[in-house]
Amino acid sequence: MAKQLIALTVNGDPYEVAVSPHQTLLEVMRDSLNLTGTKRGCTAGSCGVCTVNGEQGEVILSCLALAVEWDGRSVTTVEGVEEGNELHPIQKSFLEHGAVQCGFCTPGLIMSAKALLDVNTSPSETDINEAMAGVICRCTGHIKVKKAIKEAASVLREREVNHGES
Amino acid sequence: MAKAKIKNNVPTKSRTKEDLAVVGKNWSRLDGADKVSGRSIFADDVRLPGMLFAKVVRSPYPHARIISIDTSEAEALPGVKAVITPEDAKDIWIGISQPLLPTENVTHVGHEVAAVAAMSEEIAAQAAALIKVEYERLPELLDVEKALKEDAPQLHEKAALNIGWQQEEEHGDPDAVFAECDVIREDTYITNPSHNCYAEYHVCVADFTKPGKLKMWTPTQTAHLFQQSLAAGFKLPASDVRLLTLNTGGGFTGRTSTRPHHFLAALLSRKAGKPVRLRAAGDEEFIMCRAGGKVIYKLRSGASKDGKLKVIEADLLFDTGAYIESQMIVTLLTSKYIHALYPIEASRYRGRLVHTNHLPYYFHHGGGIAQFQFALGQHVDALAREMGMDPVEFNLLNAVEEGHTTMEGAHYASCGLKECIEKTAAMAGWNDKYGKLPKFKGIGIGIGAMASGAKGLYKHDTSAAFVKVTEDGKASLFVGLPDMGQSSHTTMAIICAEVLGILPTDITVISGDTDTDPLDIGAFTQRGTFNTGNATKNAAIDARDQLAKTAANILEVDEAQLVFRDGKVYPEGQEDKAIAFAKVVYKTLHSREGRFVMGRGFYNSPLEKGTMAYSFGAQIAEVTVDPGTGVVTVDKMTASHDVGRAINPRVVEGQIDGQIFSGMSQVLYEETLMEDGQVMNPSRLDYKMPRAFEMPEVDHIIVESIDPNGPFGAKEVGEGPIVCTMQAIANAVTNAIGDQVTEMPLAPWRVIRAIKD
Ligand code: FES
Ligand code: FES
């Protein structure tokens, strides 16, 4: 089948890449662009490790997204979350609260948490539960993950306040 | 000059937390920044020049004779670089009894028959579909109890009645003790097939392009045993097989031995002359993994009327599937845990591994022990209730204590079991709740023991470590222990830092390459913190001894008076005289001797068999059962664990959390539904595990019994907690509905049936 050239922006970097119509965003990022931070799990939408964020900050399972549909669009992956050379408050919080064990699901958890906290820095328990429901983490039991998200939320809230004052 | 002994950091009971500089504080994992930013490399991320992609052809039948294999169309497909069939795999064995590819019969669904390597995963899949295999169906063994019948077909010539392995053990005189008992109880429990479901699917990259040299990147709990197994399979010297571990996306007892895909990728790489990646696709993950099979536990025990447990008898029947490689470990382990918790007078054990036409089963998280405790914990709980005793009271009356030696010889140099039970019961408010809760609310307790290490499975149980100290006052620590997420590398850095008096963040842990790693049997049987921890400590002490000579010279004191702490070295009580650690390193190198500081150490249990340390724990579960649907909600878990010493307390909590998740998941949700030898729910949508919103609140209690043989008193937290979880939840469900659910998982339909009966 004929390949199609698409223009895809990942973490602010513009790429032009030839993709087959059936190739997923996950495959193109990992295999054509060598961006392996986003993990490959079930490739069937059931584990969440491949989660990235779309332009509007929406949660995308990149294993279910067809690359051709992303022509002219942009995504953020776990490789694009850091702020300059600093870890993002969510990343820092995950690290400091022991929310990372094997780390294989971590990119999915971080991107799900980011999608939530980008629009809501005062999430309820239910908000967090719902936002994280798409990612299976076998190691942490989600307990420290939830704690890390709550702590990150408070850091981000403070930042909003300071930002508002300045 | 007599060899001076420097101040020893070996902890004693009197050693307080304040004496320790870095052990016992919360440290973030050293590889954490990489893990949260997508920089960590896992095997599926490895890209090699010219790398090919593999696909395996698998049997669709549980039992069949292979009549023919036609690979011609696959071989003609452009982009296909190698095809292998049983012809190519002659004389390659996995373990003792399994040929890599079957020459005559396939014995389970998913059994590997052929494999291809091609330029892309897509072409490989196309090629695999073009391989035509003709089969003749054979009679199938799909039930472990039926497989034992006289008239059942026999799967392996050497396994009469399909029993592949049997272990029997007796201690004391069980019949005589039973005769003395006032109460005797019998129960039968079942645990069903399950799957480890780690986040990282099965994958390996093999590079066998240089003749006689195999390189492999793959997730593992034990690079050492993988190296040995691949070397034996390919008849190579072990040092010509190089295992590269990188990160491992979870272990859960499921990555302790090689599987066919490791050998197939290597064989394809050798044939194609290119590196090959082989990864499980979708439902293949449920075939390549092979976690636990069905187990039937018949338990009988007796007690005196004053509540003393006197004798336990266990008869375990394991569906072991089509082949046995190392699964006999499960009978070795379960036979030990019959004595572990109670000082009984006699015991009898029989464990049988029975062949069926299911895939070869190994172990799910908990290694067979946690699943056995699901049965034993419920049985003992029922016995206590039968005698009118409160289960907490019963456990406190019977629990083992420090100094106890079990009937099979395990000695408890430290033991905080009673403390665990008491503290957990107090924190959970047991006395206010047990027997006082409304209908369909329940509370239950589970207790457990766990060895740190398992000498006897192999002749030695050795871990080794090197420490290289650099001029800038930092150090590199080389260990062969994999980190599958349990933060073991950071734990080792903390131990090393404590001895050298520097910070864990000053230490780079180097691991994951059998060419450079010192030997380590691996991260299983909860041996990491204790064995590799002791090895690390010994290596660090060796390095510190070398530095102490220099420092003693400069400070003109005896080496024995030196303290290494906070990046400084000083005579005890004279911190004002301190010299910087980095300066001592510098002076050691820039001396006439020119010594480069390298410490080495190893640890192996000094016993003929068994380990020096055992951990203990207790958990209390609180549940709500919906009488209409049978759904069990876990409302709260209170968990204590006697870890000896918490090297990194937050990691200890994380381990407890993860095991509560996994225990709850196994006892309530997880089951690979088998029909005609097929896994009917091979996906993460259909094979249920708890999501974030289903997790209960967890309260942690860390008990520190300071083990005299552990590094700074530490034991394990790697698998001890999960041993308590399943039984605690099951006992809480019993408490809620008034009847035992004897089959795991406690799926809603099983709970409803128990309520209705
Ligand atoms: S890889 Fe599992 S949901 Fe995408
Ligand atoms: S940290 Fe291992 S699966 Fe989440």
Side-chain angles (χ1 to χ4, degrees):
Chain A
M1 251 178 293
K3 290 209 172 190
Q4 184 182 324
L5 201 63
I6 63 163
L8 175 69
T9 302
V10 186
N11 302 324
D13 296 333
Y15 295 91
E16 280 205 341
V17 56
V19 304
S20 298
H22 63 269
Q23 268 187 305
T24 63
L25 188 57
L26 177 72
E27 286 170 317
V28 170
M29 288 192 306
R30 287 180 54 86
D31 299 335
S32 305
L33 310 183
N34 261 322
L35 294 170
T36 55
T38 305
K39 294 297 169 223
R40 170 161 75 151
C42 64
T43 63
S46 64
C47 74
V49 301
C50 66
T51 304
V52 298
N53 294 352
E55 271 153 345
Q56 314 302 325
E58 68 273 33
V59 169
I60 308 291
L61 293 175
S62 63
C63 74
L64 294 184
L66 286 176
V68 283
E69 292 185 345
W70 285 78
D71 186 17
R73 295 161 72 182
S74 62
V75 294
T76 307
T77 73
V78 70
E79 290 119 321
V81 176
E82 276 164 279
E83 300 172 326
N85 287 329
E86 287 271 302
L87 292 179
H88 183 277
I90 297 174
Q91 294 172 311
K92 238 186 241 169
S93 188
F94 265 63
L95 183 53
E96 284 165 9
H97 292 93
V100 182
Q101 290 192 24
C102 80
F104 199 84
C105 73
T106 308
L109 289 176
I110 298 251
M111 297 319 289
S112 302
K114 187 163 187 302
L116 169 70
L117 299 184
D118 275 353
V119 294
N120 177 5
T121 52
S122 304
S124 66
E125 183 83 18
T126 313
D127 293 336
I128 295 176
N129 279 337
E130 274 175 16
M132 307 318 284
V135 187
I136 294 174
C137 174
R138 176 106 225 179
C139 300
T140 64
H142 303 284
I143 290 161
K144 297 213 180 294
V145 172
K146 287 203 228 173
K147 173 140 198 253
I149 293 172
K150 285 178 199 158
E151 295 295 325
S154 80
V155 172
L156 290 167
R157 266 200 312 274
E158 217 165 284
R159 197 194 258 193
E160 277 173 355
V161 172
N162 292 342
H163 199 71
E165 277 170 0
S166 62
Chain B
M1 201 174 79
K3 197 174 175 334
K5 241 182 104 31
I6 66 165
K7 188 175 186 310
N8 197 342
N9 260 350
V10 171
T12 59
K13 280 255 171 191
S14 60
R15 196 171 182 93
T16 61
K17 274 198 173 122
E18 292 67 46
D19 292 333
L20 295 165
V22 295
V23 163
K25 315 253 177 334
N26 286 322
W27 295 95
S28 295
R29 45 182 318 135
L30 297 176
D31 56 359
D34 284 345
K35 287 192 174 182
V36 295
S37 55
R39 283 192 292 264
S40 298
I41 305 290
F42 291 81
D44 195 29
D45 304 331
V46 170
R47 270 107 183 99
L48 298 175
M51 186 167 80
L52 302 174
F53 306 88
K55 183 77 189 168
V56 178
V57 178
R58 299 175 180 281
S59 165
Y61 305 120
H63 200 195
R65 194 169 69 81
I66 301 172
I67 297 171
S68 65
I69 303 174
D70 178 359
T71 60
S72 52
E73 277 183 53
E75 272 166 290
L77 190 72
V80 171
K81 298 293 180 186
V83 177
I84 53 171
T85 65
E87 277 297 301
D88 300 273
K90 273 192 187 140
D91 299 326
I92 301 178
W93 295 79
I94 304 175
I96 39 170
S97 72
Q98 183 175 356
L100 175 57
L101 295 176
T103 44
E104 282 174 38
N105 299 341
V106 289
T107 56
H108 57 277
V109 172
H111 201 161
E112 299 76 6
V113 176
V116 299
M119 287 170 66
S120 70
E121 286 182 344
E122 241 177 292
I123 300 173
Q126 273 172 24
L130 290 173
I131 293 178
K132 294 193 188 73
V133 188
E134 231 186 304
Y135 298 97
E136 179 195 322
R137 301 282 294 264
L138 295 170
E140 294 157 6
L141 293 170
L142 297 171
D143 180 274
V144 62
E145 284 175 296
K146 284 189 192 144
L148 268 180
K149 297 242 161 75
E150 291 284 346
D151 57 351
Q154 190 172 320
L155 202 57
H156 296 291
E157 210 183 301
K158 287 187 192 144
L161 290 174
N162 292 306
I163 299 173
W165 169 262
Q166 171 155 339
Q167 186 183 331
E168 285 180 71
E169 246 179 71
E170 205 170 288
H171 294 274
D173 186 346
D175 294 326
V177 181
F178 269 117
E180 290 166 9
C181 287
D182 303 309
V183 193
I184 294 172
R185 189 181 167 92
E186 274 183 58
D187 285 295
T188 300
Y189 299 91
I190 294 172
T191 57
N192 277 299
S194 53
H195 183 265
N196 306 66
C197 268
Y198 357 73
E200 183 188 17
Y201 275 37
H202 285 82
V203 60
C204 68
V205 176
D207 184 348
F208 210 167
T209 51
K210 257 196 224 159
K213 294 267 186 194
L214 171 60
K215 249 199 260 182
M216 185 171 289
W217 291 258
T218 193
T220 180
Q221 290 179 241
T222 162
H224 176 71
L225 294 182
F226 274 38
Q227 180 189 41
Q228 300 285 327
S229 159
L230 286 162
F234 290 110
K235 301 184 178 61
L236 293 172
S239 47
D240 286 338
V241 176
R242 182 177 180 193
L243 257 287
L244 296 131
T245 311
L246 306 166
N247 290 285
T248 290
F252 312 116
T253 338
R255 306 209 211 248
T256 50
S257 48
T258 49
R259 299 285 183 267
H261 65 279
H262 296 111
F263 293 84
L264 292 174
L267 206 51
L268 285 165
S269 172
R270 186 163 74 182
K271 193 160 182 185
K274 298 269 190 239
V276 170
R277 179 169 82 204
L278 201 168
R279 182 186 185 269
D283 56 359
E284 252 187 325
E285 176 69 3
F286 280 75
I287 293 168
M288 283 163 75
C289 171
R290 309 165 163 192
K294 179 174 175 172
V295 187
I296 301 169
Y297 313 78
K298 283 193 172 36
L299 301 178
R300 184 166 165 250
S301 62
S304 57
K305 57 177 174 297
D306 58 355
K308 270 279 176 195
L309 189 58
K310 290 163 78 75
V311 52
I312 301 176
E313 191 176 84
D315 188 3
L316 276 50
L317 196 63
F318 294 84
D319 179 351
T320 203
Y323 292 101
I324 294 183
E325 189 232 14
S326 53
Q327 297 97 308
M328 47 283 238
I329 287 172
V330 78
T331 60
L332 288 171
L333 292 178
T334 46
S335 68
K336 293 191 187 320
Y337 283 90
I338 189 172
H339 316 282
L341 292 164
Y342 309 110
I344 48 178
E345 293 166 28
S347 72
R348 182 180 286 132
Y349 173 92
R350 179 169 68 160
R352 288 174 292 171
L353 303 187
V354 178
H355 287 296
T356 62
N357 290 115
H358 286 139
L359 43 106
Y361 288 121
Y362 287 75
F363 330 106
H364 195 358
H365 195 192
I369 304 163
Q371 295 76 8
F372 173 59
Q373 289 290 356
F374 158 81
L376 187 63
Q378 277 200 86
H379 171 67
V380 168
D381 207 78
L383 181 74
R385 280 181 274 117
E386 197 177 313
M387 293 192 293
M389 285 180 79
D390 173 312
V392 165
E393 182 197 340
F394 179 86
N395 279 316
L396 275 175
L397 177 70
N398 284 288
V400 287
E401 290 178 284
E402 185 179 305
H404 174 70
T405 302
T406 71
M407 264 184 295
E408 64 85 51
H411 180 73
Y412 299 156
S414 66
C415 172
L417 181 56
K418 284 193 176 170
E419 190 180 340
C420 284
I421 299 171
E422 277 162 359
K423 286 191 166 161
T424 311
M427 191 181 245
W430 176 272
N431 289 340
D432 299 332
K433 293 175 182 165
Y434 184 73
K436 296 169 190 150
L437 295 173
K439 218 172 166 203
F440 300 116
K441 291 245 177 221
I443 187 166
I445 183 166
I447 68 168
M450 184 54 71
S452 299
K455 193 175 181 184
L457 291 184
Y458 308 99
K459 193 151 185 114
H460 66 84
D461 196 28
T462 297
S463 289
F466 304 141
V467 178
K468 175 177 105 172
V469 184
T470 48
E471 263 181 276
D472 51 8
K474 297 185 191 287
S476 300
L477 170 65
F478 294 71
V479 290
L481 179 76
D483 190 334
M484 307 91 69
Q486 77 278 43
S487 199
S488 54
H489 289 170
T490 306
T491 301
M492 295 309 125
I494 296 168
I495 290 172
C496 182
E498 183 69 46
V499 175
L500 295 177
I502 56 179
L503 292 173
T505 44
D506 291 330
I507 291 172
T508 304
V509 180
I510 298 178
S511 185
D513 180 347
T514 50
D515 270 6
T516 49
D517 290 350
L519 181 131
D520 197 299
I521 293 213
F524 54 90
T525 64
Q526 301 61 252
R527 53 186 301 293
T529 303
F530 189 77
N531 284 40
T532 313
N534 269 320
T536 297
K537 188 168 173 234
N538 291 340
I541 289 173
D542 186 21
R544 193 184 59 182
D545 279 345
Q546 296 165 32
L547 291 165
K549 276 204 177 72
T550 312
N553 259 331
I554 301 173
L555 293 166
E556 297 178 336
V557 292
D558 199 67
E559 288 171 39
Q561 292 170 6
L562 293 173
V563 174
F564 284 69
R565 204 184 161 106
D566 303 330
K568 290 178 280 195
V569 184
Y570 51 90
E572 188 151 29
Q574 300 175 52
E575 236 189 296
D576 52 318
K577 297 234 171 84
I579 33 177
F581 178 79
K583 187 159 179 200
V584 180
V585 183
Y586 180 90
K587 288 279 182 199
T588 309
L589 181 61
H590 295 263
S591 62
R592 182 174 304 184
E593 193 197 13
R595 176 184 281 273
F596 182 64
V597 178
M598 292 179 287
R600 49 186 192 154
F602 74 97
Y603 181 83
N604 180 39
S605 164
L607 305 172
E608 177 87 11
K609 260 189 179 169
T611 173
M612 301 290 284
Y614 295 81
S615 296
F616 302 88
Q619 289 179 18
I620 288 176
E622 292 169 63
V623 305
T624 306
V625 178
D626 181 332
T629 61
V631 169
V632 177
T633 307
V634 182
D635 302 315
K636 176 139 189 224
M637 293 293 299
T638 308
S640 62
H641 202 61
D642 163 21
V643 295
R645 159 98 67 196
I647 302 282
N648 193 358
R650 198 169 45 217
V651 163
V652 168
E653 284 181 12
Q655 286 295 302
I656 294 173
D657 290 345
Q659 289 171 68
I660 285 177
F661 169 88
S662 184
M664 165 180 164
S665 186
Q666 289 186 54
V667 74
L668 295 180
Y669 300 81
E670 292 186 45
E671 179 172 1
T672 38
L673 300 164
M674 301 298 296
E675 214 173 289
D676 299 330
Q678 296 269 4
V679 178
M680 301 307 286
N681 55 341
S683 89
R684 285 169 200 218
L685 280 182
D686 302 309
Y687 183 93
K688 269 284 288 164
M689 287 185 282
R691 302 283 168 140
F693 61 87
E694 289 156 284
M695 287 306 292
E697 187 190 333
V698 177
D699 274 340
H700 312 94
I701 302 161
I702 298 177
V703 169
E704 296 191 309
S705 59
I706 315 297
D707 191 86
N709 302 303
F712 301 103
K715 299 189 281 192
E716 69 81 51
V717 66
E719 215 163 48
I722 195 175
V723 166
C724 307
T725 313
M726 301 177 204
Q727 36 164 332
I729 293 174
N731 286 334
V733 170
T734 304
N735 184 244
I737 67 174
D739 209 351
Q740 290 192 76
V741 185
T742 52
E743 188 167 348
M744 187 169 106
L746 277 59
W749 68 271
R750 291 195 180 105
V751 176
I752 282 286
R753 203 162 61 178
I755 294 174
K756 296 243 157 81
D757 281 352

